[in-house]
Amino acid sequence: MLEKEIIVGVIGAGRIGKLHVSNLKNLPNVRVKTVSDVFIDHLGEWFETSGAEQLTKSYQDILNDPEIDAIFICSPTNTHIEIIKEAAITGKHIFCEKPISFSDKETMEAFEVVKKAGVKFQIGFNRRFDRNYSKVQGLVEAKEIGDLHILKITSRDPEPPSLEYVSTSGGLFMDMAIHDFDMARFVSGSEVEEVFVQGASLVNPEIGKIGDIDTAIISLKFANGAIGVIDNSRQAAYGYDQRLEAFGSKGSANVKNETESRVEFLSKDGVKEDKPLHFFLERYNDAYIKEVIEFFEAITNDSEVSCTFKDGIMAQRIAMAAKESLESGKPVKVKLLEKLTIN
Amino acid sequence: MLEKEIIVGVIGAGRIGKLHVSNLKNLPNVRVKTVSDVFIDHLGEWFETSGAEQLTKSYQDILNDPEIDAIFICSPTNTHIEIIKEAAITGKHIFCEKPISFSDKETMEAFEVVKKAGVKFQIGFNRRFDRNYSKVQGLVEAKEIGDLHILKITSRDPEPPSLEYVSTSGGLFMDMAIHDFDMARFVSGSEVEEVFVQGASLVNPEIGKIGDIDTAIISLKFANGAIGVIDNSRQAAYGYDQRLEAFGSKGSANVKNETESRVEFLSKDGVKEDKPLHFFLERYNDAYIKEVIEFFEAITNDSEVSCTFKDGIMAQRIAMAAKESLESGKPVKVKLLEKLTIN
Amino acid sequence: MLEKEIIVGVIGAGRIGKLHVSNLKNLPNVRVKTVSDVFIDHLGEWFETSGAEQLTKSYQDILNDPEIDAIFICSPTNTHIEIIKEAAITGKHIFCEKPISFSDKETMEAFEVVKKAGVKFQIGFNRRFDRNYSKVQGLVEAKEIGDLHILKITSRDPEPPSLEYVSTSGGLFMDMAIHDFDMARFVSGSEVEEVFVQGASLVNPEIGKIGDIDTAIISLKFANGAIGVIDNSRQAAYGYDQRLEAFGSKGSANVKNETESRVEFLSKDGVKEDKPLHFFLERYNDAYIKEVIEFFEAITNDSEVSCTFKDGIMAQRIAMAAKESLESGKPVKVKLLEKLTIN
Amino acid sequence: MLEKEIIVGVIGAGRIGKLHVSNLKNLPNVRVKTVSDVFIDHLGEWFETSGAEQLTKSYQDILNDPEIDAIFICSPTNTHIEIIKEAAITGKHIFCEKPISFSDKETMEAFEVVKKAGVKFQIGFNRRFDRNYSKVQGLVEAKEIGDLHILKITSRDPEPPSLEYVSTSGGLFMDMAIHDFDMARFVSGSEVEEVFVQGASLVNPEIGKIGDIDTAIISLKFANGAIGVIDNSRQAAYGYDQRLEAFGSKGSANVKNETESRVEFLSKDGVKEDKPLHFFLERYNDAYIKEVIEFFEAITNDSEVSCTFKDGIMAQRIAMAAKESLESGKPVKVKLLEKLTIN
C-alpha cells in the first residue's frame, strides 16, 4: 500500500489510456487529477464515471500543474519523445506506453534527458507482471530448467486492427511483436543478438499492400548462446493466443492460455473447453494493475522499476532489426547498448 | 452500477465479516457505516484501513440507525434468528450468512417475520455466483446435457478447522456440506427428496470424539428422478478441491478446480502443474463480490434475489436429514416445503 | 514368454469368446485347438480366419480332449458352474469370465471342487491389468496417497445392451457393476463391508419394467475404514466413461479416460479434444492380453494368479448385497469370507 | 489383410532392422525368409526368437533369392544407393529407411533405376502413419483450420546418440530433422521453398567439435505461402518430445505428446502427470506397423504407396539446404523437382 497520496495526470484517452484511468481509480492513495486528449468532445460520458477530476485538450495543463507527481503517456507513439522530454524537465515521473518512439536516435536523446532529470521512468511492458510469465521467468532464473536452450513465444491477436491503425502503428514488429521481444529478453535474462524474419500477409492482403505483414516467424539468437523463435499472427479465430515455452538442459516450463471458465463439456461431438480469453484486456487485467502499483512504489520508496528505459530501447532495437531482416531477407544483428550504463 | 447510495451495517467481524467489508469498500455507491462485534478490542488495526466508518459492540446500534438500509449478518449461527427478526421489523434489508439457524422451527418463524416485513433477504450461497458453477447450471437448465441423470459434487477443504470451531459449528453437514446441498439444488433445479450418509472421522479422530465426522459420502435422490452424490473431506493435502459433474442423457458438464497459474513444468520427474487454489477466499473471491452486487441491485430495483430464504431453509433441511441418516444408518427423507408459497 | 506350448479350448464364441480367441492367436506358444458354441452355424466365416483349429457344438469335446491344458469359459453365466466343476475334475486349468454364477451357494460348491482339484482358476477381471488402474493401485498400496479415505469409481457404458440381454444378464450389478466392485476391492486393498444403492431407470424405462435399473449411485463402506462410491450408467452419450479416484491423507490419484488421439482443435467454437474411447474392446485391449498372459504364466510356472476365485466370489457377494439394498431401500452388509482360507 | 503371402528379406539388423523383423513376424501372410548383416556373430541369440528363417552375411543372398518379393533396407545410409539399384534391377520391391543417401546426384540416379524397373518403393517416414499426425494432416487437407498460415513442429530426442554415431549420421538435419522436414511437407501439403537455421551445440560441446549441432531453430517458407518453424534438440530431460501445430485462418490443430498412463497425482507438491513416452520405439510403435502394412498392400494390390521416392528426395534436399544455411548463416532455397513427374 502506498503511504502517501500520488497525484497523476494521464495524457491520451484512447483504449489504453482509459484502461489505466479505470485501474487507477481503484488504487488507494492514487488520485487521477487530469486527463488530456486532443479530441475531448466524445469523452464526456466516459469522463463522468471515470473517476478523473478534470479533462483538458492540452497535455501542457498536466505538465504545468505543480501538484501532479506522475504522468501516464498513452498518446500516439509519434508524440512520445516530446512529452517525455518536457515531462522530465518539469520533474514529473513518467509511465510511458510502448514503443517509446520509432526512431532510435530520438529515443536515445529522450533517454539522456530522463537520466539527467533523475525522474522515474517505466515502460508499459505489462506482461512482465502476468502471473504466468513471471513464474516462468523465475523458474528460468533459478535454473530450474537448467541452462536455457530454446525459447519459444506464441503471440497471436484475435483480430487485426483497422488498416488505418496499421498504417500509423509502426508495423507488426513495433506495434505488436515488441511485447514479445521484451518477453524474450525478460524470460531469457539475455540480450537478443540477431534476428531473422519470415513474414507474410496471409490474414489480409490489404495489410501487405500498405507495406506491413500480419503473420511472422522470427528466429532469435541470444547473447547467452540460447536460440529462440516468436510466431505472430494478427488473427487467431479462437481468441488471444499467448503462450511461451522455456526449454533447457534439465526441463521445460511453459505458459498456457487463460480461459473464461474451467468447465468441460462432453457430448457425442467430443470434449469441449472454453477458448482462450478474448484479448489483452481480459488476459492481462491483473498485470495492468500490478505494473502501475510497482511504478507508484518506485516513486514512493525511490526504488528501481523493473521495466526500465533500457528495456524500452532494446525491444525497439530488436523491432528495427526485425524490420530490416524482413526487407533484406537476411539475418540482422541487433544494435547493443554496450557503452551505456543504465540502471 | 447502483444508481443511489446504499448504507450498510455489518454484524460480526470474523473472517467472513471482514471479507464482506473488504469487498464492500470497493463497490461504488456502497457505504459501510457501522460494523458491530461483541469483541472489538482486537479489531482496532483492522478497522483503520477497513473502509468502515464506525465500530460498535452492539448490533442494536446498527438496527437503530435509521440511515442504514441493509445489514450483513456475519455473527455466529446461534445469533442469526434474533437478529433477522429484529432487523426485519426495523425494515432493514438482510444479507445473512449460512446457515440461517440450527433449528427448523426457529428458521420458519424468522421466515414468517421476514415475509411479513417485506424486506429483501439473501442467503450467502456465494458459489451460485462462481463463473464455473453458474455456467454448468446454465447448461443443465438449457438441457445441453439432456435430462439430468447423475449429479456429483466433490467438496474438500484444505485443512480442518480447530476442534473448538468444530464443536460449535453445527457439524460437517450444517457448516460445510450445506454449500454442497445448495449446489445440488441449484444445478439440478430440483429438490432433494432423500439422503443417505456414509461418514467417518479419518482426518482427525478427535473430531469423531466430539460427535462430528470429517469425511462423508452423501447419496442424494432428487424429486425430478435424478440421483447424486456429494463427497466431503475436511482435509485435502493438495488444497481446496471443489468440483462438480452434471451427467445427463445427451452429455456431461463438469467444473474443474481453479489453479494459481497456467504454467506447466516438465522434467525427468514428470509433468507438473499448480495445485488447486488454497481455499475459499482465493477460489470464490469474484463470487463473493457478485453475490453482494446482486443483493444491492435487488434493493435498488426492488427485484428478486436469486438466493432466497427458501434456499436457506431447504439446504438446512437437507443438512438435518443427513445428520439423521448418519445417526440412524438409514436413508432419510427431506422435509419439503409444499404448503409454503415462497418467491 | 512361455517356455512350453499351452493348448487351449474356448467355450462360448460370443463377443468375449471371440475377443479371447483373437488375442490368443497372436501369443507365442499358445495354440487354440478347439472352440465350442451351442450355435455354430453362423460362425463359419469368423472361424476361417480365427486361428482356431476346430469348431464344435459340445464343450464336452473340449473337456474330453486330453491334449487341452486350459479352458476359457465364455458361455452364458448360467452354464458356468457346471462347466467349472466338470473341467476341474478333468484337470483343466480354468479362465472364467465374470460373474462366476448368480448363486452364492453354487459358486461356493464350485470353489470347493476347484480347490480340491488343484487346477489354476482365474476370473476375468481384466481391468486389474489396465496400465492406469494398476498404477493407481500401486500408488495406494505404497501409501503414496497416505491412508485411503475416499474411493470414487465412475463406470458408464456408451449404450445399453438389448432388453433381451438385460433380462438374462443378472442385472446391472451382476453384469456391469461387478467390474467396479472388483476395482473397489483391488484398489483399496480392503473388503467392502456395506453397500447402499440409489438406482433408477432413466436411460430406458423399459429396463425398469423388466425389473432392472440403468443408473445407480452405490455407496460403499470398506473394512479398512475408508468410504467410497460408484456411479453407473448404461448410456454415456460421449462414450465409455471409466474413471477412478483414490483420495487419501497425503494426496489423491486418479485415472482419466483414454482417448482416440491426442489432437486438440481450436476454433471460434472452443477447444475440442477426442471423446473417450468407445467401449471396452478399445479401452481395455491391452488389459485383455495381459490377463491371459498372467494366466498362462501361472500354469507354466505353477505360480499364483492375481485374480482369484475369491475375487470372483467377493465381487459377486457385493453385487448381491447391492441388489438387496436396491430392493429394500436400506444399506446391506456384504457376506464376508472369514472361514475360508483361500490363496 | 493380405490375400497372398509375401516373402521378405531384411538387409541390416541394427536397431531399426530388428524393429521391422519383430513387427513383420506378427503380420499374417508375411514371411521373413532372410536377414542379412555384415556382422552376424553377435546376432545368434536375437535370431533364435526373431521369427526370421535365415541369417546371412551377404545381402546378395537376399537379392539373388527368386522367392523373395520385397526387401527392407535398414543398413547404414552409405550402402543404400547400391542396394536400391541392384534390388530394383532384380525386381524386388523396396522399403528403404531414411535418408535415401547423402548425395542428391546419387539419389536421383537410384530414382531413375527404380522408376524404370517399376518396382514399389516406400521410404520409412513412419510418422505419417501415427494416429495423431495423420489426423491433423486430415484436418488441414479438409480445410477445417481454413488456409494454413503457420506450421510449428517440435522434435526433441530424450538423449543424444554416441559421438561415434553422430560422426557418421550425416548430421542433425539428415539424421533427425529429416523426419520433421517430411512432416512439414506432409501436413502442409506443400513444398518447402526456403529454410533458415539458427543452430548450436548446447547439449554437448563435443558434438560441436566434430562439426555438428544438437539444438536448432529452422525457419521454413512454404510454396503455398505459409510459413513455419521446426525446433530440434538432441536431449529433452523429460523424454521424447514430439508435437506439431497447424494454425490457419479458421482455427488451429495440434498434436500433444503421448504418455505412459492417464493417471494424475495430486499432493502438496502440485499436480503431477506422466512424462511423454521415452522414445520413438514407444511413441511410434503402431505407426511402424501401419507403414509396412501399407507397403504390402501396395505390392498385393499394385496400388500406390503414400510415402514415395519423391518424398525421400525432397526431405533430403531440405536437409541439404538446412546444412548450407547453417554454414553460410543465410537463408537458402530448396532445390525443387519441377521437371520430374513422380507420383
Side-chain angles (χ1 to χ4, degrees), chain A residues 131-132 135 251-252 254 256 259-260 262 264 266 274, chain B residues 131-132 135 251-252 254 256 259-260 262 264 266 274:
Chain A
R131 63 178 189 168
N132 298 304
K135 180 169 182 173
S252 185
N254 66 79
K256 300 181 188 183
T259 52
E260 195 149 330
R262 302 302 306 266
E264 189 182 65
L266 296 87
D274 277 2
Chain B
R131 64 177 189 168
N132 298 305
K135 180 168 182 175
S252 185
N254 66 78
K256 301 180 188 184
T259 53
E260 195 150 330
R262 301 301 305 265
E264 188 182 63
L266 297 88
D274 277 1

PDB file of all heavy atoms in Angstrom, chain A residues 131-132 135 251-252 254 256 259-260 262 264 266 274, chain B residues 131-132 135 251-252 254 256 259-260 262 264 266 274:
ATOM      1  N   ARG A 131       0.949 -13.335 -13.945  1.00  0.00           N
ATOM      2  CA  ARG A 131       1.299 -14.405 -13.000  1.00  0.00           C
ATOM      3  C   ARG A 131       2.024 -15.569 -13.675  1.00  0.00           C
ATOM      4  O   ARG A 131       2.874 -16.221 -13.080  1.00  0.00           O
ATOM      5  CB  ARG A 131       0.043 -14.919 -12.287  1.00  0.00           C
ATOM      6  CG  ARG A 131      -0.984 -15.566 -13.202  1.00  0.00           C
ATOM      7  CD  ARG A 131      -2.181 -16.104 -12.416  1.00  0.00           C
ATOM      8  NE  ARG A 131      -3.050 -16.912 -13.258  1.00  0.00           N
ATOM      9  CZ  ARG A 131      -4.025 -17.690 -12.802  1.00  0.00           C
ATOM     10  NH1 ARG A 131      -4.273 -17.751 -11.516  1.00  0.00           N
ATOM     11  NH2 ARG A 131      -4.769 -18.404 -13.628  1.00  0.00           N
ATOM     12  N   ASN A 132       1.672 -15.835 -14.931  1.00  0.00           N
ATOM     13  CA  ASN A 132       2.265 -16.978 -15.614  1.00  0.00           C
ATOM     14  C   ASN A 132       3.671 -16.670 -16.137  1.00  0.00           C
ATOM     15  O   ASN A 132       4.605 -17.437 -15.941  1.00  0.00           O
ATOM     16  CB  ASN A 132       1.370 -17.398 -16.784  1.00  0.00           C
ATOM     17  CG  ASN A 132       0.008 -17.838 -16.313  1.00  0.00           C
ATOM     18  OD1 ASN A 132      -0.104 -18.734 -15.486  1.00  0.00           O
ATOM     19  ND2 ASN A 132      -1.036 -17.201 -16.824  1.00  0.00           N
ATOM     20  N   LYS A 135       6.148 -16.273 -13.388  1.00  0.00           N
ATOM     21  CA  LYS A 135       6.514 -17.554 -12.771  1.00  0.00           C
ATOM     22  C   LYS A 135       7.563 -18.292 -13.617  1.00  0.00           C
ATOM     23  O   LYS A 135       8.534 -18.830 -13.080  1.00  0.00           O
ATOM     24  CB  LYS A 135       5.276 -18.434 -12.609  1.00  0.00           C
ATOM     25  CG  LYS A 135       5.600 -19.772 -11.979  1.00  0.00           C
ATOM     26  CD  LYS A 135       4.367 -20.557 -11.555  1.00  0.00           C
ATOM     27  CE  LYS A 135       4.813 -21.861 -10.896  1.00  0.00           C
ATOM     28  NZ  LYS A 135       3.708 -22.614 -10.315  1.00  0.00           N
ATOM     29  N   GLY A 251      14.936 -29.360 -18.142  1.00  0.00           N
ATOM     30  CA  GLY A 251      13.489 -29.448 -18.233  1.00  0.00           C
ATOM     31  C   GLY A 251      12.915 -28.304 -19.037  1.00  0.00           C
ATOM     32  O   GLY A 251      13.643 -27.580 -19.718  1.00  0.00           O
ATOM     33  N   SER A 252      11.614 -28.167 -18.956  1.00  0.00           N
ATOM     34  CA  SER A 252      10.934 -27.170 -19.771  1.00  0.00           C
ATOM     35  C   SER A 252       9.758 -26.602 -18.985  1.00  0.00           C
ATOM     36  O   SER A 252       9.045 -27.336 -18.301  1.00  0.00           O
ATOM     37  CB  SER A 252      10.429 -27.836 -21.050  1.00  0.00           C
ATOM     38  OG  SER A 252       9.866 -26.885 -21.914  1.00  0.00           O
ATOM     39  N   ASN A 254       6.328 -24.052 -19.403  1.00  0.00           N
ATOM     40  CA  ASN A 254       5.550 -23.356 -20.408  1.00  0.00           C
ATOM     41  C   ASN A 254       4.304 -22.716 -19.836  1.00  0.00           C
ATOM     42  O   ASN A 254       3.740 -23.160 -18.844  1.00  0.00           O
ATOM     43  CB  ASN A 254       5.206 -24.272 -21.582  1.00  0.00           C
ATOM     44  CG  ASN A 254       4.280 -25.378 -21.200  1.00  0.00           C
ATOM     45  OD1 ASN A 254       3.081 -25.166 -21.075  1.00  0.00           O
ATOM     46  ND2 ASN A 254       4.814 -26.569 -20.989  1.00  0.00           N
ATOM     47  N   LYS A 256       0.465 -21.694 -20.554  1.00  0.00           N
ATOM     48  CA  LYS A 256      -0.712 -21.965 -21.381  1.00  0.00           C
ATOM     49  C   LYS A 256      -1.639 -20.747 -21.391  1.00  0.00           C
ATOM     50  O   LYS A 256      -1.495 -19.850 -20.563  1.00  0.00           O
ATOM     51  CB  LYS A 256      -1.487 -23.145 -20.795  1.00  0.00           C
ATOM     52  CG  LYS A 256      -0.686 -24.422 -20.716  1.00  0.00           C
ATOM     53  CD  LYS A 256      -1.572 -25.516 -20.143  1.00  0.00           C
ATOM     54  CE  LYS A 256      -0.751 -26.768 -19.860  1.00  0.00           C
ATOM     55  NZ  LYS A 256      -1.605 -27.859 -19.372  1.00  0.00           N
ATOM     56  N   THR A 259      -8.398 -19.169 -19.699  1.00  0.00           N
ATOM     57  CA  THR A 259      -9.700 -19.385 -20.321  1.00  0.00           C
ATOM     58  C   THR A 259     -10.822 -18.783 -19.480  1.00  0.00           C
ATOM     59  O   THR A 259     -10.638 -18.519 -18.298  1.00  0.00           O
ATOM     60  CB  THR A 259      -9.973 -20.890 -20.487  1.00  0.00           C
ATOM     61  OG1 THR A 259      -9.779 -21.512 -19.221  1.00  0.00           O
ATOM     62  CG2 THR A 259      -9.033 -21.499 -21.495  1.00  0.00           C
ATOM     63  N   GLU A 260     -11.978 -18.639 -20.111  1.00  0.00           N
ATOM     64  CA  GLU A 260     -13.095 -17.962 -19.453  1.00  0.00           C
ATOM     65  C   GLU A 260     -13.665 -18.766 -18.282  1.00  0.00           C
ATOM     66  O   GLU A 260     -14.182 -18.216 -17.329  1.00  0.00           O
ATOM     67  CB  GLU A 260     -14.197 -17.699 -20.482  1.00  0.00           C
ATOM     68  CG  GLU A 260     -15.222 -16.720 -20.024  1.00  0.00           C
ATOM     69  CD  GLU A 260     -15.790 -15.952 -21.212  1.00  0.00           C
ATOM     70  OE1 GLU A 260     -15.060 -15.755 -22.212  1.00  0.00           O
ATOM     71  OE2 GLU A 260     -16.949 -15.576 -21.129  1.00  0.00           O
ATOM     72  N   ARG A 262     -13.418 -22.965 -16.201  1.00  0.00           N
ATOM     73  CA  ARG A 262     -12.777 -24.280 -16.104  1.00  0.00           C
ATOM     74  C   ARG A 262     -13.822 -25.376 -16.292  1.00  0.00           C
ATOM     75  O   ARG A 262     -13.742 -26.429 -15.683  1.00  0.00           O
ATOM     76  CB  ARG A 262     -12.052 -24.424 -14.762  1.00  0.00           C
ATOM     77  CG  ARG A 262     -10.975 -23.378 -14.488  1.00  0.00           C
ATOM     78  CD  ARG A 262      -9.884 -23.364 -15.550  1.00  0.00           C
ATOM     79  NE  ARG A 262      -9.276 -24.643 -15.771  1.00  0.00           N
ATOM     80  CZ  ARG A 262      -8.162 -25.065 -15.174  1.00  0.00           C
ATOM     81  NH1 ARG A 262      -7.533 -24.264 -14.344  1.00  0.00           N
ATOM     82  NH2 ARG A 262      -7.660 -26.252 -15.429  1.00  0.00           N
ATOM     83  N   GLU A 264     -15.791 -28.148 -18.551  1.00  0.00           N
ATOM     84  CA  GLU A 264     -15.570 -29.096 -19.652  1.00  0.00           C
ATOM     85  C   GLU A 264     -16.921 -29.692 -20.022  1.00  0.00           C
ATOM     86  O   GLU A 264     -17.694 -30.044 -19.129  1.00  0.00           O
ATOM     87  CB  GLU A 264     -14.625 -30.179 -19.125  1.00  0.00           C
ATOM     88  CG  GLU A 264     -14.102 -31.145 -20.140  1.00  0.00           C
ATOM     89  CD  GLU A 264     -13.210 -32.188 -19.467  1.00  0.00           C
ATOM     90  OE1 GLU A 264     -13.731 -32.974 -18.646  1.00  0.00           O
ATOM     91  OE2 GLU A 264     -12.012 -32.231 -19.758  1.00  0.00           O
ATOM     92  N   LEU A 266     -18.793 -32.657 -22.318  1.00  0.00           N
ATOM     93  CA  LEU A 266     -18.609 -33.872 -23.120  1.00  0.00           C
ATOM     94  C   LEU A 266     -19.920 -34.235 -23.795  1.00  0.00           C
ATOM     95  O   LEU A 266     -20.959 -34.291 -23.131  1.00  0.00           O
ATOM     96  CB  LEU A 266     -18.189 -35.047 -22.240  1.00  0.00           C
ATOM     97  CG  LEU A 266     -16.848 -34.967 -21.523  1.00  0.00           C
ATOM     98  CD1 LEU A 266     -16.985 -34.267 -20.187  1.00  0.00           C
ATOM     99  CD2 LEU A 266     -16.258 -36.350 -21.332  1.00  0.00           C
ATOM    100  N   ASP A 274     -13.447 -24.106 -22.922  1.00  0.00           N
ATOM    101  CA  ASP A 274     -13.515 -22.715 -23.363  1.00  0.00           C
ATOM    102  C   ASP A 274     -12.289 -22.320 -24.187  1.00  0.00           C
ATOM    103  O   ASP A 274     -11.191 -22.809 -23.980  1.00  0.00           O
ATOM    104  CB  ASP A 274     -13.574 -21.789 -22.144  1.00  0.00           C
ATOM    105  CG  ASP A 274     -14.971 -21.660 -21.613  1.00  0.00           C
ATOM    106  OD1 ASP A 274     -15.869 -22.298 -22.161  1.00  0.00           O
ATOM    107  OD2 ASP A 274     -15.155 -20.922 -20.636  1.00  0.00           O
TER     108      ASP A 274
ATOM    109  N   ARG B 131     -18.168 -18.326 -11.668  1.00  0.00           N
ATOM    110  CA  ARG B 131     -18.270 -18.411 -13.133  1.00  0.00           C
ATOM    111  C   ARG B 131     -18.448 -19.848 -13.623  1.00  0.00           C
ATOM    112  O   ARG B 131     -19.115 -20.103 -14.619  1.00  0.00           O
ATOM    113  CB  ARG B 131     -17.030 -17.786 -13.796  1.00  0.00           C
ATOM    114  CG  ARG B 131     -15.718 -18.500 -13.487  1.00  0.00           C
ATOM    115  CD  ARG B 131     -14.541 -17.852 -14.241  1.00  0.00           C
ATOM    116  NE  ARG B 131     -13.331 -18.657 -14.111  1.00  0.00           N
ATOM    117  CZ  ARG B 131     -12.241 -18.482 -14.819  1.00  0.00           C
ATOM    118  NH1 ARG B 131     -12.167 -17.510 -15.714  1.00  0.00           N
ATOM    119  NH2 ARG B 131     -11.188 -19.256 -14.663  1.00  0.00           N
ATOM    120  N   ASN B 132     -17.839 -20.810 -12.924  1.00  0.00           N
ATOM    121  CA  ASN B 132     -17.901 -22.197 -13.370  1.00  0.00           C
ATOM    122  C   ASN B 132     -19.230 -22.854 -13.019  1.00  0.00           C
ATOM    123  O   ASN B 132     -19.869 -23.477 -13.866  1.00  0.00           O
ATOM    124  CB  ASN B 132     -16.754 -22.987 -12.739  1.00  0.00           C
ATOM    125  CG  ASN B 132     -15.410 -22.460 -13.165  1.00  0.00           C
ATOM    126  OD1 ASN B 132     -15.123 -22.361 -14.362  1.00  0.00           O
ATOM    127  ND2 ASN B 132     -14.574 -22.081 -12.204  1.00  0.00           N
ATOM    128  N   LYS B 135     -22.075 -21.454 -14.958  1.00  0.00           N
ATOM    129  CA  LYS B 135     -22.076 -21.912 -16.354  1.00  0.00           C
ATOM    130  C   LYS B 135     -22.685 -23.314 -16.474  1.00  0.00           C
ATOM    131  O   LYS B 135     -23.494 -23.576 -17.367  1.00  0.00           O
ATOM    132  CB  LYS B 135     -20.647 -21.910 -16.914  1.00  0.00           C
ATOM    133  CG  LYS B 135     -20.592 -22.378 -18.351  1.00  0.00           C
ATOM    134  CD  LYS B 135     -19.257 -22.116 -19.016  1.00  0.00           C
ATOM    135  CE  LYS B 135     -19.332 -22.584 -20.481  1.00  0.00           C
ATOM    136  NZ  LYS B 135     -18.138 -22.261 -21.249  1.00  0.00           N
ATOM    137  N   GLY B 251     -25.127 -35.727 -22.570  1.00  0.00           N
ATOM    138  CA  GLY B 251     -23.729 -35.370 -22.345  1.00  0.00           C
ATOM    139  C   GLY B 251     -23.472 -35.060 -20.894  1.00  0.00           C
ATOM    140  O   GLY B 251     -24.300 -35.348 -20.025  1.00  0.00           O
ATOM    141  N   SER B 252     -22.325 -34.469 -20.636  1.00  0.00           N
ATOM    142  CA  SER B 252     -21.906 -34.229 -19.263  1.00  0.00           C
ATOM    143  C   SER B 252     -21.114 -32.931 -19.207  1.00  0.00           C
ATOM    144  O   SER B 252     -20.309 -32.648 -20.089  1.00  0.00           O
ATOM    145  CB  SER B 252     -21.016 -35.400 -18.812  1.00  0.00           C
ATOM    146  OG  SER B 252     -20.681 -35.267 -17.464  1.00  0.00           O
ATOM    147  N   ASN B 254     -18.717 -30.577 -16.547  1.00  0.00           N
ATOM    148  CA  ASN B 254     -18.077 -30.612 -15.243  1.00  0.00           C
ATOM    149  C   ASN B 254     -17.223 -29.389 -14.980  1.00  0.00           C
ATOM    150  O   ASN B 254     -16.698 -28.760 -15.893  1.00  0.00           O
ATOM    151  CB  ASN B 254     -17.278 -31.901 -15.056  1.00  0.00           C
ATOM    152  CG  ASN B 254     -16.097 -31.995 -15.978  1.00  0.00           C
ATOM    153  OD1 ASN B 254     -15.067 -31.364 -15.732  1.00  0.00           O
ATOM    154  ND2 ASN B 254     -16.230 -32.746 -17.070  1.00  0.00           N
ATOM    155  N   LYS B 256     -13.893 -28.013 -13.179  1.00  0.00           N
ATOM    156  CA  LYS B 256     -12.584 -28.376 -12.635  1.00  0.00           C
ATOM    157  C   LYS B 256     -12.129 -27.333 -11.614  1.00  0.00           C
ATOM    158  O   LYS B 256     -12.681 -26.238 -11.552  1.00  0.00           O
ATOM    159  CB  LYS B 256     -11.553 -28.418 -13.767  1.00  0.00           C
ATOM    160  CG  LYS B 256     -11.879 -29.400 -14.857  1.00  0.00           C
ATOM    161  CD  LYS B 256     -10.790 -29.350 -15.916  1.00  0.00           C
ATOM    162  CE  LYS B 256     -11.154 -30.168 -17.127  1.00  0.00           C
ATOM    163  NZ  LYS B 256     -10.056 -30.202 -18.098  1.00  0.00           N
ATOM    164  N   THR B 259      -6.635 -22.901 -10.574  1.00  0.00           N
ATOM    165  CA  THR B 259      -5.254 -23.046 -10.113  1.00  0.00           C
ATOM    166  C   THR B 259      -4.540 -21.701 -10.089  1.00  0.00           C
ATOM    167  O   THR B 259      -4.974 -20.748 -10.729  1.00  0.00           O
ATOM    168  CB  THR B 259      -4.477 -23.988 -11.049  1.00  0.00           C
ATOM    169  OG1 THR B 259      -4.633 -23.511 -12.389  1.00  0.00           O
ATOM    170  CG2 THR B 259      -4.996 -25.402 -10.959  1.00  0.00           C
ATOM    171  N   GLU B 260      -3.426 -21.675  -9.372  1.00  0.00           N
ATOM    172  CA  GLU B 260      -2.700 -20.419  -9.167  1.00  0.00           C
ATOM    173  C   GLU B 260      -2.089 -19.879 -10.446  1.00  0.00           C
ATOM    174  O   GLU B 260      -1.937 -18.675 -10.618  1.00  0.00           O
ATOM    175  CB  GLU B 260      -1.614 -20.644  -8.121  1.00  0.00           C
ATOM    176  CG  GLU B 260      -1.052 -19.366  -7.569  1.00  0.00           C
ATOM    177  CD  GLU B 260      -0.597 -19.572  -6.128  1.00  0.00           C
ATOM    178  OE1 GLU B 260      -1.193 -20.426  -5.434  1.00  0.00           O
ATOM    179  OE2 GLU B 260       0.333 -18.902  -5.725  1.00  0.00           O
ATOM    180  N   ARG B 262      -1.216 -20.983 -14.940  1.00  0.00           N
ATOM    181  CA  ARG B 262      -1.385 -21.926 -16.048  1.00  0.00           C
ATOM    182  C   ARG B 262      -0.027 -22.369 -16.554  1.00  0.00           C
ATOM    183  O   ARG B 262       0.168 -22.581 -17.743  1.00  0.00           O
ATOM    184  CB  ARG B 262      -2.210 -21.280 -17.169  1.00  0.00           C
ATOM    185  CG  ARG B 262      -3.599 -20.827 -16.749  1.00  0.00           C
ATOM    186  CD  ARG B 262      -4.463 -21.947 -16.204  1.00  0.00           C
ATOM    187  NE  ARG B 262      -4.591 -23.069 -17.086  1.00  0.00           N
ATOM    188  CZ  ARG B 262      -5.595 -23.253 -17.942  1.00  0.00           C
ATOM    189  NH1 ARG B 262      -6.570 -22.375 -17.974  1.00  0.00           N
ATOM    190  NH2 ARG B 262      -5.639 -24.307 -18.718  1.00  0.00           N
ATOM    191  N   GLU B 264       3.097 -25.027 -16.762  1.00  0.00           N
ATOM    192  CA  GLU B 264       3.370 -26.462 -16.732  1.00  0.00           C
ATOM    193  C   GLU B 264       4.881 -26.636 -16.719  1.00  0.00           C
ATOM    194  O   GLU B 264       5.584 -25.950 -17.457  1.00  0.00           O
ATOM    195  CB  GLU B 264       2.772 -27.058 -18.007  1.00  0.00           C
ATOM    196  CG  GLU B 264       2.769 -28.548 -18.100  1.00  0.00           C
ATOM    197  CD  GLU B 264       2.197 -29.010 -19.441  1.00  0.00           C
ATOM    198  OE1 GLU B 264       2.809 -28.692 -20.495  1.00  0.00           O
ATOM    199  OE2 GLU B 264       1.157 -29.662 -19.454  1.00  0.00           O
ATOM    200  N   LEU B 266       7.969 -29.463 -17.033  1.00  0.00           N
ATOM    201  CA  LEU B 266       8.331 -30.839 -17.394  1.00  0.00           C
ATOM    202  C   LEU B 266       9.777 -31.109 -17.008  1.00  0.00           C
ATOM    203  O   LEU B 266      10.669 -30.316 -17.336  1.00  0.00           O
ATOM    204  CB  LEU B 266       8.191 -31.064 -18.894  1.00  0.00           C
ATOM    205  CG  LEU B 266       6.816 -30.943 -19.516  1.00  0.00           C
ATOM    206  CD1 LEU B 266       6.536 -29.511 -19.927  1.00  0.00           C
ATOM    207  CD2 LEU B 266       6.680 -31.866 -20.725  1.00  0.00           C
ATOM    208  N   ASP B 274       0.224 -26.521 -11.216  1.00  0.00           N
ATOM    209  CA  ASP B 274      -0.121 -25.974  -9.901  1.00  0.00           C
ATOM    210  C   ASP B 274      -1.263 -26.736  -9.238  1.00  0.00           C
ATOM    211  O   ASP B 274      -2.157 -27.261  -9.905  1.00  0.00           O
ATOM    212  CB  ASP B 274      -0.569 -24.516 -10.046  1.00  0.00           C
ATOM    213  CG  ASP B 274       0.614 -23.582 -10.098  1.00  0.00           C
ATOM    214  OD1 ASP B 274       1.755 -24.065 -10.037  1.00  0.00           O
ATOM    215  OD2 ASP B 274       0.397 -22.370 -10.204  1.00  0.00           O
TER     216      ASP B 274
END
